[in-house]
Amino acid sequence: MNTVDTIYDFNIHLFAKADVEYQEWIHEPILDFATDERVAVELGWTGTHTKSLFLKSKNGPFTLYLTEKDSRLDSKAIKNITGRRVSICKDEEMVEQTGCVPGAVCPFGLPDSVELVIDKTLLECTELLFTPGKPEFTFAFKGSDLKTLLDALPNRVYYLD
């Protein structure tokens, strides 16, 4: 099973493998949006904060939906591209499947069977911010590099308009 350490290490190796530049910050643990916003102001972040929602369906693989932090889950749109109805996974099941801490689900380093649904608008962002498994770390990279990172993963990827 993944741990926050293995997820973090996976992210470091993914950036190197994909030859994508990134920035890294160490700060107090971020497990909710209020802390995220406060730390962002303190550290002067200007990038787009991402949100990873871990989803399940009755008859299919787990799905991670990566979007902008203020976006809402459109389960109908996800059903249209995956063919499955999804709902937000309970924290316990998400931890069991991913090794991530609730509030700090990482889009990279998940089990190969987890499908990824990516909000296409993220590809156009100047900079994206996310937690690489450990809630006291934040990484930033160019939105234009998101597809390069995703292409280096074994997971099936869908892009949502």
Side-chain angles (χ1 to χ4, degrees):
M1 180 172 111
N2 280 344
T3 66
V4 291
D5 289 324
T6 58
I7 294 166
Y8 175 85
D9 292 343
F10 181 92
N11 278 265
I12 297 291
H13 290 103
L14 176 63
F15 281 108
K17 175 182 171 183
D19 196 27
V20 169
E21 291 184 22
Y22 69 97
Q23 289 182 277
E24 176 180 15
W25 293 269
I26 302 172
H27 46 69
E28 72 178 276
I30 296 176
L31 297 170
D32 58 55
F33 291 127
T35 305
D36 196 16
E37 289 177 345
R38 184 175 45 73
V39 171
V41 170
E42 290 171 6
L43 297 177
W45 294 339
T46 57
T48 300
H49 296 253
T50 60
K51 171 170 61 176
S52 296
L53 296 175
F54 198 70
L55 311 170
K56 69 177 188 173
S57 62
K58 287 186 180 181
N59 56 350
F62 288 94
T63 304
L64 180 120
Y65 176 44
L66 181 65
T67 188
E68 192 271 327
K69 80 168 176 88
D70 291 327
S71 294
R72 298 185 56 96
L73 173 63
D74 184 348
S75 52
K76 191 173 192 178
I78 291 176
K79 182 182 184 219
N80 288 340
I81 63 171
T82 66
R84 293 179 314 281
R85 189 180 334 207
V86 296
S87 60
I88 295 178
C89 200
K90 293 186 189 241
D91 285 350
E92 300 79 23
E93 193 170 16
M94 182 274 304
V95 170
E96 180 182 306
Q97 294 296 317
T98 67
C100 293
V101 177
V105 180
C106 182
F108 309 121
L110 299 171
D112 297 357
S113 61
V114 175
E115 295 184 341
L116 306 174
V117 175
I118 308 301
D119 181 339
K120 273 181 139 176
T121 61
L122 296 177
L123 300 169
E124 300 168 13
C125 293
T126 303
E127 183 178 62
L128 298 174
L129 299 161
F130 77 100
T131 301
K134 295 181 176 185
E136 64 274 11
F137 287 83
T138 295
F139 283 0
F141 64 95
K142 292 179 188 173
S144 58
D145 287 332
L146 178 57
K147 185 165 182 349
T148 301
L149 293 166
L150 294 167
D151 287 347
L153 299 175
N155 307 75
R156 183 171 184 178
V157 178
Y158 297 94
Y159 291 92
L160 184 63
D161 289 321

